[in-house]
Short mmCIF file of all heavy atoms in Angstrom, two decimals:
data_model
loop_
_atom_site.label_atom_id
_atom_site.label_comp_id
_atom_site.label_asym_id
_atom_site.label_seq_id
_atom_site.Cartn_x
_atom_site.Cartn_y
_atom_site.Cartn_z
N SER U 198 -9.53 -20.76 11.26
CA SER U 198 -9.65 -21.38 9.95
C SER U 198 -11.09 -21.31 9.50
O SER U 198 -12.01 -21.21 10.30
CB SER U 198 -9.19 -22.84 10.01
OG SER U 198 -9.42 -23.45 8.77
N HIS U 199 -11.27 -21.33 8.19
CA HIS U 199 -12.63 -21.40 7.65
C HIS U 199 -12.95 -22.81 7.19
O HIS U 199 -14.04 -23.08 6.72
CB HIS U 199 -12.79 -20.43 6.48
CG HIS U 199 -12.76 -19.01 6.91
ND1 HIS U 199 -13.75 -18.46 7.69
CD2 HIS U 199 -11.87 -18.02 6.70
CE1 HIS U 199 -13.45 -17.19 7.94
NE2 HIS U 199 -12.32 -16.91 7.35
N LYS U 200 -11.95 -23.67 7.27
CA LYS U 200 -12.16 -25.03 6.77
C LYS U 200 -12.60 -25.92 7.92
O LYS U 200 -11.83 -26.22 8.82
CB LYS U 200 -10.88 -25.55 6.14
CG LYS U 200 -10.47 -24.74 4.93
CD LYS U 200 -9.22 -25.29 4.28
CE LYS U 200 -8.72 -24.33 3.22
NZ LYS U 200 -7.30 -24.52 2.94
N LEU U 201 -13.86 -26.33 7.86
CA LEU U 201 -14.42 -27.09 8.97
C LEU U 201 -13.72 -28.43 9.17
O LEU U 201 -13.54 -28.88 10.29
CB LEU U 201 -15.92 -27.30 8.75
CG LEU U 201 -16.73 -26.01 8.65
CD1 LEU U 201 -18.19 -26.31 8.40
CD2 LEU U 201 -16.58 -25.20 9.92
N GLU U 202 -13.32 -29.06 8.06
CA GLU U 202 -12.64 -30.36 8.21
C GLU U 202 -11.39 -30.22 9.04
O GLU U 202 -11.08 -31.05 9.88
CB GLU U 202 -12.21 -30.95 6.86
CG GLU U 202 -13.31 -31.16 5.86
CD GLU U 202 -13.49 -29.94 5.01
OE1 GLU U 202 -12.61 -29.68 4.18
OE2 GLU U 202 -14.50 -29.22 5.20
N GLU U 203 -10.66 -29.14 8.77
CA GLU U 203 -9.42 -28.94 9.53
C GLU U 203 -9.72 -28.81 11.00
O GLU U 203 -9.07 -29.43 11.84
CB GLU U 203 -8.73 -27.66 9.06
CG GLU U 203 -8.03 -27.82 7.76
CD GLU U 203 -7.40 -26.50 7.32
OE1 GLU U 203 -7.37 -25.54 8.11
OE2 GLU U 203 -6.96 -26.47 6.18
N ILE U 204 -10.71 -27.97 11.30
CA ILE U 204 -11.04 -27.75 12.70
C ILE U 204 -11.42 -29.07 13.35
O ILE U 204 -10.94 -29.41 14.44
CB ILE U 204 -12.22 -26.75 12.80
CG1 ILE U 204 -11.82 -25.41 12.20
CG2 ILE U 204 -12.69 -26.62 14.23
CD1 ILE U 204 -11.14 -24.46 13.11
N THR U 205 -12.27 -29.84 12.68
CA THR U 205 -12.72 -31.08 13.34
C THR U 205 -11.59 -32.10 13.42
O THR U 205 -11.58 -32.92 14.32
CB THR U 205 -13.91 -31.70 12.60
OG1 THR U 205 -13.61 -31.75 11.22
CG2 THR U 205 -15.17 -30.90 12.82
N SER U 206 -10.62 -32.05 12.50
CA SER U 206 -9.61 -33.10 12.55
C SER U 206 -8.48 -32.79 13.52
O SER U 206 -7.86 -33.70 14.04
CB SER U 206 -9.05 -33.39 11.16
OG SER U 206 -8.21 -32.33 10.77
N ILE U 207 -8.18 -31.53 13.77
CA ILE U 207 -7.01 -31.28 14.60
C ILE U 207 -7.31 -30.65 15.95
O ILE U 207 -6.58 -30.85 16.91
CB ILE U 207 -5.96 -30.44 13.83
CG1 ILE U 207 -4.77 -30.10 14.75
CG2 ILE U 207 -6.53 -29.14 13.33
CD1 ILE U 207 -3.48 -30.33 14.11
N CYS U 208 -8.42 -29.90 16.05
CA CYS U 208 -8.66 -29.19 17.31
C CYS U 208 -9.31 -30.12 18.33
O CYS U 208 -9.94 -31.11 17.96
CB CYS U 208 -9.58 -28.00 17.06
SG CYS U 208 -8.85 -26.83 15.93
N ASN U 209 -9.17 -29.76 19.60
CA ASN U 209 -9.94 -30.50 20.59
C ASN U 209 -11.09 -29.67 21.13
O ASN U 209 -12.06 -30.19 21.65
CB ASN U 209 -9.05 -31.00 21.73
CG ASN U 209 -8.47 -29.87 22.53
OD1 ASN U 209 -8.23 -28.80 21.98
ND2 ASN U 209 -8.25 -30.08 23.81
N ARG U 210 -10.98 -28.32 20.95
CA ARG U 210 -12.10 -27.48 21.34
C ARG U 210 -12.33 -26.45 20.25
O ARG U 210 -11.43 -26.16 19.46
CB ARG U 210 -11.82 -26.76 22.67
CG ARG U 210 -11.94 -27.70 23.87
CD ARG U 210 -12.08 -26.92 25.17
NE ARG U 210 -11.04 -25.91 25.28
CZ ARG U 210 -11.30 -24.62 25.48
NH1 ARG U 210 -12.52 -24.18 25.60
NH2 ARG U 210 -10.31 -23.76 25.58
N VAL U 211 -13.52 -25.90 20.23
CA VAL U 211 -13.80 -24.92 19.21
C VAL U 211 -14.62 -23.78 19.80
O VAL U 211 -15.41 -24.00 20.73
CB VAL U 211 -14.53 -25.57 18.01
CG1 VAL U 211 -15.83 -26.20 18.46
CG2 VAL U 211 -14.80 -24.57 16.90
N MET U 212 -14.36 -22.58 19.29
CA MET U 212 -15.14 -21.43 19.74
C MET U 212 -15.62 -20.72 18.47
O MET U 212 -14.86 -20.53 17.54
CB MET U 212 -14.25 -20.50 20.56
CG MET U 212 -14.89 -19.21 20.95
SD MET U 212 -13.88 -18.37 22.20
CE MET U 212 -13.83 -16.74 21.49
N VAL U 213 -16.90 -20.38 18.45
CA VAL U 213 -17.47 -19.77 17.25
C VAL U 213 -17.87 -18.33 17.54
O VAL U 213 -18.45 -18.05 18.59
CB VAL U 213 -18.69 -20.56 16.75
CG1 VAL U 213 -19.19 -19.99 15.44
CG2 VAL U 213 -18.35 -22.02 16.60
N MET U 214 -17.54 -17.44 16.64
CA MET U 214 -17.90 -16.02 16.82
C MET U 214 -18.82 -15.57 15.70
O MET U 214 -18.75 -16.07 14.58
CB MET U 214 -16.65 -15.14 16.81
CG MET U 214 -15.74 -15.35 17.98
SD MET U 214 -14.31 -14.26 17.91
CE MET U 214 -15.06 -12.66 18.22
N ARG U 215 -19.70 -14.63 16.05
CA ARG U 215 -20.54 -13.99 15.03
C ARG U 215 -20.69 -12.54 15.39
O ARG U 215 -21.07 -12.22 16.52
CB ARG U 215 -21.93 -14.63 15.01
CG ARG U 215 -22.11 -15.63 13.91
CD ARG U 215 -23.57 -15.96 13.78
NE ARG U 215 -24.21 -15.04 12.84
CZ ARG U 215 -25.52 -14.89 12.76
NH1 ARG U 215 -26.31 -15.54 13.59
NH2 ARG U 215 -26.02 -14.08 11.88
N LYS U 216 -20.44 -11.67 14.45
CA LYS U 216 -20.65 -10.24 14.65
C LYS U 216 -20.05 -9.76 15.98
O LYS U 216 -20.69 -9.04 16.74
CB LYS U 216 -22.13 -9.90 14.60
CG LYS U 216 -22.79 -10.37 13.32
CD LYS U 216 -23.99 -9.52 12.98
CE LYS U 216 -24.31 -9.62 11.52
NZ LYS U 216 -25.21 -10.67 11.13
N GLY U 217 -18.83 -10.19 16.25
CA GLY U 217 -18.12 -9.68 17.42
C GLY U 217 -18.43 -10.36 18.72
O GLY U 217 -17.83 -10.07 19.74
N LYS U 218 -19.42 -11.30 18.71
CA LYS U 218 -19.77 -11.98 19.96
C LYS U 218 -19.50 -13.47 19.83
O LYS U 218 -19.49 -14.01 18.74
CB LYS U 218 -21.25 -11.77 20.28
CG LYS U 218 -21.60 -10.35 20.60
CD LYS U 218 -23.03 -10.29 21.09
CE LYS U 218 -23.44 -8.85 21.30
NZ LYS U 218 -24.80 -8.59 20.86
N VAL U 219 -19.32 -14.10 20.99
CA VAL U 219 -19.15 -15.55 20.98
C VAL U 219 -20.52 -16.19 20.88
O VAL U 219 -21.42 -15.87 21.66
CB VAL U 219 -18.45 -16.01 22.27
CG1 VAL U 219 -18.34 -17.52 22.29
CG2 VAL U 219 -17.08 -15.38 22.37
N THR U 220 -20.70 -17.08 19.91
CA THR U 220 -22.00 -17.75 19.81
C THR U 220 -21.95 -19.15 20.39
O THR U 220 -22.97 -19.79 20.52
CB THR U 220 -22.51 -17.84 18.37
OG1 THR U 220 -21.46 -18.36 17.56
CG2 THR U 220 -22.91 -16.49 17.85
N GLY U 221 -20.76 -19.62 20.70
CA GLY U 221 -20.72 -20.92 21.34
C GLY U 221 -19.31 -21.44 21.47
O GLY U 221 -18.43 -21.09 20.69
N THR U 222 -19.11 -22.29 22.49
CA THR U 222 -17.85 -23.02 22.58
C THR U 222 -18.23 -24.46 22.83
O THR U 222 -19.25 -24.74 23.45
CB THR U 222 -16.96 -22.54 23.74
OG1 THR U 222 -17.79 -22.37 24.88
CG2 THR U 222 -16.24 -21.28 23.42
N ALA U 223 -17.41 -25.39 22.35
CA ALA U 223 -17.75 -26.79 22.52
C ALA U 223 -16.50 -27.64 22.39
O ALA U 223 -15.48 -27.19 21.86
CB ALA U 223 -18.77 -27.21 21.46
N LEU U 224 -16.62 -28.85 22.91
CA LEU U 224 -15.58 -29.83 22.65
C LEU U 224 -15.86 -30.39 21.26
O LEU U 224 -17.00 -30.59 20.88
CB LEU U 224 -15.63 -30.95 23.68
CG LEU U 224 -15.20 -30.54 25.09
CD1 LEU U 224 -15.43 -31.70 26.06
CD2 LEU U 224 -13.75 -30.11 25.10
N ILE U 225 -14.80 -30.64 20.52
CA ILE U 225 -14.98 -31.08 19.14
C ILE U 225 -15.79 -32.37 19.06
O ILE U 225 -16.62 -32.56 18.18
CB ILE U 225 -13.60 -31.26 18.48
CG1 ILE U 225 -13.13 -29.93 17.93
CG2 ILE U 225 -13.63 -32.29 17.38
CD1 ILE U 225 -13.97 -29.35 16.85
N LYS U 226 -15.59 -33.24 20.05
CA LYS U 226 -16.27 -34.52 19.94
C LYS U 226 -17.79 -34.39 20.10
O LYS U 226 -18.52 -35.29 19.75
CB LYS U 226 -15.68 -35.53 20.94
CG LYS U 226 -15.74 -35.12 22.39
CD LYS U 226 -15.13 -36.25 23.22
CE LYS U 226 -14.91 -36.00 24.69
NZ LYS U 226 -15.56 -34.98 25.42
N ASP U 227 -18.23 -33.26 20.62
CA ASP U 227 -19.67 -33.09 20.82
C ASP U 227 -20.40 -32.46 19.65
O ASP U 227 -21.61 -32.30 19.67
CB ASP U 227 -19.93 -32.20 22.06
CG ASP U 227 -19.35 -32.81 23.31
OD1 ASP U 227 -19.13 -34.04 23.30
OD2 ASP U 227 -19.08 -32.07 24.27
N VAL U 228 -19.66 -31.95 18.65
CA VAL U 228 -20.36 -31.24 17.57
C VAL U 228 -20.03 -31.84 16.20
O VAL U 228 -18.99 -32.44 16.00
CB VAL U 228 -19.98 -29.73 17.54
CG1 VAL U 228 -20.63 -28.98 18.65
CG2 VAL U 228 -18.47 -29.57 17.57
N SER U 229 -20.97 -31.62 15.26
CA SER U 229 -20.73 -32.06 13.88
C SER U 229 -20.45 -30.83 13.04
O SER U 229 -20.63 -29.70 13.47
CB SER U 229 -21.97 -32.76 13.35
OG SER U 229 -23.00 -31.81 13.22
N LYS U 230 -20.02 -31.07 11.82
CA LYS U 230 -19.73 -29.95 10.92
C LYS U 230 -20.98 -29.12 10.66
O LYS U 230 -20.93 -27.90 10.57
CB LYS U 230 -19.20 -30.48 9.59
CG LYS U 230 -17.71 -30.76 9.61
CD LYS U 230 -17.24 -31.05 8.20
CE LYS U 230 -16.39 -32.29 8.19
NZ LYS U 230 -16.16 -32.81 6.86
N VAL U 231 -22.10 -29.83 10.58
CA VAL U 231 -23.36 -29.10 10.32
C VAL U 231 -23.67 -28.16 11.48
O VAL U 231 -24.04 -27.00 11.28
CB VAL U 231 -24.51 -30.11 10.13
CG1 VAL U 231 -25.81 -29.38 9.84
CG2 VAL U 231 -24.16 -31.07 9.00
N ASP U 232 -23.45 -28.64 12.71
CA ASP U 232 -23.66 -27.78 13.87
C ASP U 232 -22.78 -26.54 13.78
O ASP U 232 -23.22 -25.41 14.03
CB ASP U 232 -23.27 -28.50 15.17
CG ASP U 232 -24.14 -29.72 15.43
OD1 ASP U 232 -25.30 -29.69 14.97
OD2 ASP U 232 -23.66 -30.66 16.08
N LEU U 233 -21.50 -26.78 13.44
CA LEU U 233 -20.56 -25.67 13.40
C LEU U 233 -21.01 -24.64 12.38
O LEU U 233 -21.00 -23.44 12.63
CB LEU U 233 -19.16 -26.18 13.05
CG LEU U 233 -18.47 -26.98 14.15
CD1 LEU U 233 -17.12 -27.49 13.68
CD2 LEU U 233 -18.29 -26.12 15.39
N ALA U 234 -21.40 -25.12 11.20
CA ALA U 234 -21.83 -24.20 10.16
C ALA U 234 -23.02 -23.38 10.63
O ALA U 234 -23.10 -22.18 10.39
CB ALA U 234 -22.18 -24.96 8.89
N ARG U 235 -23.93 -24.03 11.33
CA ARG U 235 -25.10 -23.31 11.79
C ARG U 235 -24.72 -22.25 12.82
O ARG U 235 -25.18 -21.11 12.78
CB ARG U 235 -26.14 -24.28 12.36
CG ARG U 235 -27.41 -23.57 12.75
CD ARG U 235 -28.63 -24.45 13.01
NE ARG U 235 -28.47 -25.86 12.81
CZ ARG U 235 -28.08 -26.72 13.78
NH1 ARG U 235 -27.80 -26.26 14.99
NH2 ARG U 235 -28.01 -28.01 13.53
N MET U 236 -23.84 -22.63 13.75
CA MET U 236 -23.40 -21.66 14.76
C MET U 236 -22.71 -20.47 14.11
O MET U 236 -22.79 -19.34 14.58
CB MET U 236 -22.38 -22.32 15.71
CG MET U 236 -23.01 -23.16 16.81
SD MET U 236 -21.82 -24.40 17.39
CE MET U 236 -20.95 -23.50 18.64
N MET U 237 -22.08 -20.74 12.99
CA MET U 237 -21.28 -19.70 12.36
C MET U 237 -22.12 -18.73 11.57
O MET U 237 -21.96 -17.52 11.70
CB MET U 237 -20.32 -20.41 11.41
CG MET U 237 -18.97 -19.85 11.42
SD MET U 237 -17.96 -20.97 10.47
CE MET U 237 -17.70 -19.98 9.07
N ILE U 238 -23.00 -19.26 10.71
CA ILE U 238 -23.71 -18.34 9.83
C ILE U 238 -25.19 -18.24 10.17
O ILE U 238 -25.94 -17.52 9.52
CB ILE U 238 -23.55 -18.72 8.34
CG1 ILE U 238 -24.08 -20.13 8.08
CG2 ILE U 238 -22.10 -18.63 7.94
CD1 ILE U 238 -24.00 -20.49 6.62
N GLY U 239 -25.61 -18.96 11.21
CA GLY U 239 -26.98 -18.82 11.67
C GLY U 239 -28.01 -19.45 10.75
O GLY U 239 -29.19 -19.17 10.86
N ARG U 240 -27.59 -20.24 9.79
CA ARG U 240 -28.54 -20.97 8.95
C ARG U 240 -27.82 -22.21 8.42
O ARG U 240 -26.61 -22.35 8.58
CB ARG U 240 -29.00 -20.10 7.77
CG ARG U 240 -27.87 -19.73 6.83
CD ARG U 240 -28.34 -18.96 5.62
NE ARG U 240 -27.21 -18.35 4.93
CZ ARG U 240 -26.53 -18.94 3.97
NH1 ARG U 240 -26.84 -20.14 3.56
NH2 ARG U 240 -25.49 -18.34 3.41
N GLU U 241 -28.61 -23.09 7.79
CA GLU U 241 -27.98 -24.28 7.23
C GLU U 241 -27.40 -23.95 5.86
O GLU U 241 -27.91 -23.07 5.16
CB GLU U 241 -29.04 -25.39 7.04
CG GLU U 241 -29.83 -25.70 8.28
CD GLU U 241 -29.21 -26.83 9.09
OE1 GLU U 241 -28.50 -27.66 8.50
OE2 GLU U 241 -29.43 -26.87 10.32
N LEU U 242 -26.38 -24.66 5.49
CA LEU U 242 -25.87 -24.50 4.13
C LEU U 242 -26.77 -25.27 3.19
O LEU U 242 -27.30 -26.32 3.55
CB LEU U 242 -24.46 -25.07 4.03
CG LEU U 242 -23.36 -24.15 4.55
CD1 LEU U 242 -22.03 -24.87 4.45
CD2 LEU U 242 -23.32 -22.87 3.75
N SER U 243 -26.96 -24.76 1.98
CA SER U 243 -27.88 -25.46 1.10
C SER U 243 -27.27 -26.74 0.55
O SER U 243 -27.96 -27.64 0.12
CB SER U 243 -28.32 -24.55 -0.03
OG SER U 243 -27.20 -24.14 -0.76
N GLY U 244 -25.95 -26.82 0.59
CA GLY U 244 -25.33 -28.08 0.20
C GLY U 244 -25.01 -28.16 -1.27
O GLY U 244 -23.92 -27.83 -1.69
N SER U 245 -26.00 -28.54 -2.09
CA SER U 245 -25.66 -28.72 -3.50
C SER U 245 -25.91 -27.44 -4.27
O SER U 245 -26.65 -26.56 -3.86
CB SER U 245 -26.50 -29.84 -4.10
OG SER U 245 -27.82 -29.38 -4.24
N LEU U 246 -25.29 -27.33 -5.41
CA LEU U 246 -25.43 -26.14 -6.23
C LEU U 246 -26.17 -26.49 -7.50
O LEU U 246 -25.90 -27.51 -8.13
CB LEU U 246 -24.04 -25.59 -6.58
CG LEU U 246 -23.23 -25.07 -5.40
CD1 LEU U 246 -21.80 -24.84 -5.81
CD2 LEU U 246 -23.83 -23.79 -4.87
N GLU U 247 -27.11 -25.64 -7.87
CA GLU U 247 -27.87 -25.87 -9.10
C GLU U 247 -27.08 -25.36 -10.28
O GLU U 247 -26.55 -24.26 -10.26
CB GLU U 247 -29.19 -25.08 -9.02
CG GLU U 247 -30.05 -25.43 -7.83
CD GLU U 247 -31.00 -26.56 -8.15
OE1 GLU U 247 -31.62 -26.49 -9.23
OE2 GLU U 247 -31.09 -27.51 -7.35
N LYS U 248 -27.07 -26.17 -11.33
CA LYS U 248 -26.44 -25.69 -12.55
C LYS U 248 -27.40 -25.87 -13.70
O LYS U 248 -28.01 -26.91 -13.84
CB LYS U 248 -25.16 -26.50 -12.85
CG LYS U 248 -23.93 -25.94 -12.20
CD LYS U 248 -22.81 -26.96 -12.18
CE LYS U 248 -21.93 -26.88 -13.40
NZ LYS U 248 -20.78 -27.80 -13.31
N LYS U 249 -27.54 -24.83 -14.51
CA LYS U 249 -28.38 -24.95 -15.70
C LYS U 249 -27.66 -25.81 -16.72
O LYS U 249 -26.43 -25.85 -16.76
CB LYS U 249 -28.63 -23.56 -16.30
CG LYS U 249 -30.02 -23.03 -16.05
CD LYS U 249 -30.40 -21.97 -17.06
CE LYS U 249 -29.68 -20.66 -16.81
NZ LYS U 249 -30.09 -19.55 -17.63
N GLU U 250 -28.45 -26.49 -17.58
CA GLU U 250 -27.82 -27.15 -18.72
C GLU U 250 -27.39 -26.06 -19.69
O GLU U 250 -28.20 -25.28 -20.16
CB GLU U 250 -28.83 -28.07 -19.43
CG GLU U 250 -28.85 -29.51 -18.94
CD GLU U 250 -27.48 -30.18 -18.89
OE1 GLU U 250 -26.70 -30.02 -19.86
OE2 GLU U 250 -27.18 -30.86 -17.88
N VAL U 251 -26.14 -25.98 -19.96
CA VAL U 251 -25.69 -25.03 -20.98
C VAL U 251 -24.90 -25.82 -22.00
O VAL U 251 -24.05 -26.63 -21.63
CB VAL U 251 -24.80 -23.93 -20.37
CG1 VAL U 251 -24.24 -23.05 -21.46
CG2 VAL U 251 -25.59 -23.09 -19.40
N LYS U 252 -25.24 -25.62 -23.25
CA LYS U 252 -24.46 -26.30 -24.28
C LYS U 252 -23.21 -25.47 -24.54
O LYS U 252 -23.30 -24.34 -24.98
CB LYS U 252 -25.26 -26.42 -25.58
CG LYS U 252 -25.87 -27.80 -25.81
CD LYS U 252 -25.37 -28.34 -27.13
CE LYS U 252 -25.41 -29.84 -27.31
NZ LYS U 252 -25.22 -30.67 -26.20
N PRO U 253 -22.05 -26.01 -24.18
CA PRO U 253 -20.84 -25.24 -24.42
C PRO U 253 -20.69 -24.92 -25.90
O PRO U 253 -20.99 -25.76 -26.74
CB PRO U 253 -19.72 -26.15 -23.95
CG PRO U 253 -20.37 -27.17 -23.10
CD PRO U 253 -21.77 -27.31 -23.58
N GLY U 254 -20.28 -23.72 -26.19
CA GLY U 254 -20.20 -23.28 -27.58
C GLY U 254 -18.79 -23.30 -28.14
O GLY U 254 -18.00 -24.19 -27.81
N LYS U 255 -18.52 -22.31 -28.93
CA LYS U 255 -17.20 -22.19 -29.57
C LYS U 255 -16.15 -21.86 -28.51
O LYS U 255 -16.48 -21.44 -27.41
CB LYS U 255 -17.24 -21.05 -30.60
CG LYS U 255 -18.12 -21.36 -31.79
CD LYS U 255 -17.90 -20.33 -32.89
CE LYS U 255 -18.05 -18.94 -32.39
NZ LYS U 255 -19.01 -18.07 -32.82
N PRO U 256 -14.88 -21.99 -28.86
CA PRO U 256 -13.86 -21.63 -27.87
C PRO U 256 -13.88 -20.14 -27.55
O PRO U 256 -13.99 -19.31 -28.44
CB PRO U 256 -12.54 -21.99 -28.58
CG PRO U 256 -12.89 -22.92 -29.66
CD PRO U 256 -14.29 -22.60 -30.07
N MET U 257 -13.81 -19.83 -26.26
CA MET U 257 -13.70 -18.45 -25.80
C MET U 257 -12.22 -18.09 -25.70
O MET U 257 -11.74 -17.15 -26.29
CB MET U 257 -14.36 -18.33 -24.42
CG MET U 257 -14.09 -17.06 -23.68
SD MET U 257 -14.98 -15.71 -24.39
CE MET U 257 -16.53 -15.87 -23.56
N LEU U 258 -11.51 -18.93 -24.94
CA LEU U 258 -10.07 -18.67 -24.75
C LEU U 258 -9.31 -19.85 -25.34
O LEU U 258 -9.62 -21.00 -25.05
CB LEU U 258 -9.77 -18.56 -23.26
CG LEU U 258 -8.30 -18.34 -22.91
CD1 LEU U 258 -7.91 -16.90 -23.16
CD2 LEU U 258 -8.03 -18.70 -21.45
N GLU U 259 -8.36 -19.55 -26.19
CA GLU U 259 -7.52 -20.62 -26.72
C GLU U 259 -6.08 -20.34 -26.32
O GLU U 259 -5.53 -19.29 -26.65
CB GLU U 259 -7.61 -20.67 -28.24
CG GLU U 259 -8.96 -21.12 -28.74
CD GLU U 259 -9.12 -20.81 -30.21
OE1 GLU U 259 -8.74 -21.65 -31.04
OE2 GLU U 259 -9.61 -19.71 -30.52
N VAL U 260 -5.50 -21.30 -25.62
CA VAL U 260 -4.11 -21.16 -25.22
C VAL U 260 -3.36 -22.27 -25.91
O VAL U 260 -3.76 -23.44 -25.84
CB VAL U 260 -3.97 -21.33 -23.69
CG1 VAL U 260 -2.51 -21.28 -23.28
CG2 VAL U 260 -4.75 -20.25 -22.97
N SER U 261 -2.30 -21.93 -26.63
CA SER U 261 -1.55 -23.03 -27.23
C SER U 261 -0.06 -22.79 -27.13
O SER U 261 0.42 -21.66 -27.27
CB SER U 261 -1.98 -23.26 -28.67
OG SER U 261 -1.59 -22.18 -29.45
N ASN U 262 0.62 -23.89 -26.83
CA ASN U 262 2.08 -23.88 -26.78
C ASN U 262 2.68 -22.82 -25.88
O ASN U 262 3.77 -22.33 -26.13
CB ASN U 262 2.64 -23.64 -28.18
CG ASN U 262 3.00 -24.96 -28.81
OD1 ASN U 262 3.52 -25.84 -28.12
ND2 ASN U 262 2.68 -25.12 -30.08
N LEU U 263 1.95 -22.45 -24.84
CA LEU U 263 2.39 -21.34 -24.00
C LEU U 263 3.57 -21.75 -23.11
O LEU U 263 3.52 -22.76 -22.43
CB LEU U 263 1.23 -20.89 -23.12
CG LEU U 263 1.45 -19.64 -22.29
CD1 LEU U 263 1.48 -18.42 -23.17
CD2 LEU U 263 0.35 -19.50 -21.24
N SER U 264 4.64 -20.96 -23.17
CA SER U 264 5.75 -21.14 -22.23
C SER U 264 6.01 -19.82 -21.52
O SER U 264 6.01 -18.77 -22.15
CB SER U 264 7.03 -21.57 -22.96
OG SER U 264 6.84 -22.82 -23.54
N VAL U 265 6.23 -19.91 -20.21
CA VAL U 265 6.41 -18.70 -19.41
C VAL U 265 7.55 -18.94 -18.43
O VAL U 265 7.75 -20.07 -17.97
CB VAL U 265 5.12 -18.39 -18.60
CG1 VAL U 265 5.25 -17.07 -17.88
CG2 VAL U 265 3.90 -18.38 -19.49
#
Side-chain angles (χ1 to χ4, degrees):
Chain U
S198 175
H199 291 293
K200 296 182 189 158
L201 300 179
E202 302 90 71
E203 283 178 10
I204 298 273
T205 48
S206 73
I207 176 134
C208 299
N209 66 329
R210 285 197 309 125
V211 59
M212 174 168 132
V213 185
M214 293 181 69
R215 260 193 89 196
K216 305 207 158 89
K218 293 188 185 140
V219 177
T220 50
T222 43
L224 290 174
I225 275 297
K226 58 179 173 18
D227 300 338
V228 285
S229 67
K230 276 190 228 166
V231 181
D232 297 332
L233 289 178
R235 184 166 357 91
M236 278 156 87
M237 221 171 109
I238 60 177
R240 63 176 166 90
E241 307 268 334
L242 280 177
S243 60
S245 72
L246 295 168
E247 302 270 314
K248 271 164 91 175
K249 254 202 287 187
E250 268 309 316
V251 174
K252 258 238 158 328
K255 292 191 307 243
M257 168 74 85
L258 178 77
E259 291 165 88
V260 176
S261 68
N262 263 321
L263 186 72
S264 296
V265 186

